[in-house]
Amino acid sequence: MNCKSAWPCVFLFAAGLAQAADPPIVISTGKSGGGYYTIGERLKSVLAEQDQPAQVLTSAGSIENLTRLDDPQSPVSVGLTQADALKYYLKSHPGFADRFIGLGEIGKECVFIVTGKDSDIHSDSDLQQKGRNWLIAVQSPNSGVAVTWEYMTVLEPAFKNTAPAFVDGAEALLQIKSGGKASKIQAAMVVQKPMAKSTEMQVVLENPKDFRLVPVKDWDLNDKLPDGSAVYTFENITVAEKKWGFDTTVDTICTRGLMLANKTKLTADQRTRLSKVMLLAAGRVVGETSK
């Protein structure tokens, strides 16, 4: 360092120490290899180009990400979540609304409910009927799918007449196919980007004689986030190119993936860096949002 006097050197050295003292940005994502995890890794890479260290943590899903982000004892300062999971979390943790800031959207995620071709389930209203004793497969209890189903039952309590079954999607589809109307599991739900080729959606699309998609149109599912934006939008979604014998469009509800930060856990410099990344390089972080 080439200084003409001691004071500028002391100032620069102190500023360097202050910058070095900033903790890494810790990003809570989702399961390893999943879409949220991929976005977290991309964000980490872009931040590294700015000499900003970051760490990516796996998680069970949106609710764990929000819990970590809200917990003052957790190092997590950035979390990825579905909009409906955020609204669900805020109902029991209203104070969190003053602690988080939105960094951007990370893609549309839609609800797809699958049933058997000959099932008695023709719309979401059938899932609300009493006395059927049906089950709907929603993966693990902490998954984004389970949170979406739980929040649907909050907005329309009649959905509670169909209970969730924490069963892997592929296993659930096998039960629906082999058990027919005798199977307790009469539906399986996935929440994904509209044209994502998940295992469940591939099975459904490749077996139109065995499965079909159930429309979800109950207006009671209409709700708002604190900023006034919709938790769910009602859309006609195309899941694949038109195939013979299978309607590849369905009316359903969609939510948004969100990137949030806890503003009390970030330095002013870190908030500025994150804001610039999501303003100038969001495409590199989020990738293709429509699939």
Side-chain angles (χ1 to χ4, degrees), residues 114 173 190 192 195-208 211 239-240 243 246:
V114 181
L173 292 180
V190 295
Q192 62 171 48
M195 296 186 74
K197 296 301 183 286
S198 65
T199 299
E200 294 89 347
M201 194 58 71
Q202 285 181 348
V203 170
V204 171
L205 293 174
E206 291 170 6
N207 295 274
F211 304 104
V239 296
K243 291 193 175 185
F246 190 86

Side-chain angles (χ1 to χ4, degrees), residues 10-123:
V10 171
F11 176 81
L12 290 172
F13 180 71
L17 284 178
Q19 186 172 2
D22 284 352
I25 293 174
V26 181
I27 311 157
S28 190
T29 58
K31 65 181 181 180
S32 180
Y36 280 8
Y37 181 81
T38 300
I39 290 172
E41 286 289 341
R42 289 176 183 154
L43 177 59
K44 176 183 174 181
S45 296
V46 175
L47 288 170
E49 295 172 7
Q50 302 181 15
D51 297 321
Q52 170 60 60
Q55 180 183 356
V56 174
L57 299 182
T58 58
S59 76
S62 294
I63 292 298
E64 184 172 9
N65 294 342
L66 291 168
T67 301
R68 288 172 170 177
L69 193 61
D70 193 21
D71 181 1
Q73 302 302 315
S74 169
V76 169
S77 50
V78 173
L80 308 184
T81 183
Q82 294 169 192
D84 55 355
L86 173 60
K87 185 60 184 285
Y88 181 76
Y89 185 84
L90 286 171
K91 281 186 174 295
S92 54
H93 302 82
F96 182 56
D98 297 324
R99 292 187 287 275
F100 81 83
I101 54 173
L103 296 175
E105 297 186 9
I106 54 176
K108 183 192 307 185
E109 299 177 43
C110 301
V111 170
F112 297 105
I113 296 179
V114 181
T115 192
K117 187 71 172 180
D118 300 321
S119 166
D120 291 329
I121 301 172
H122 298 282
S123 72

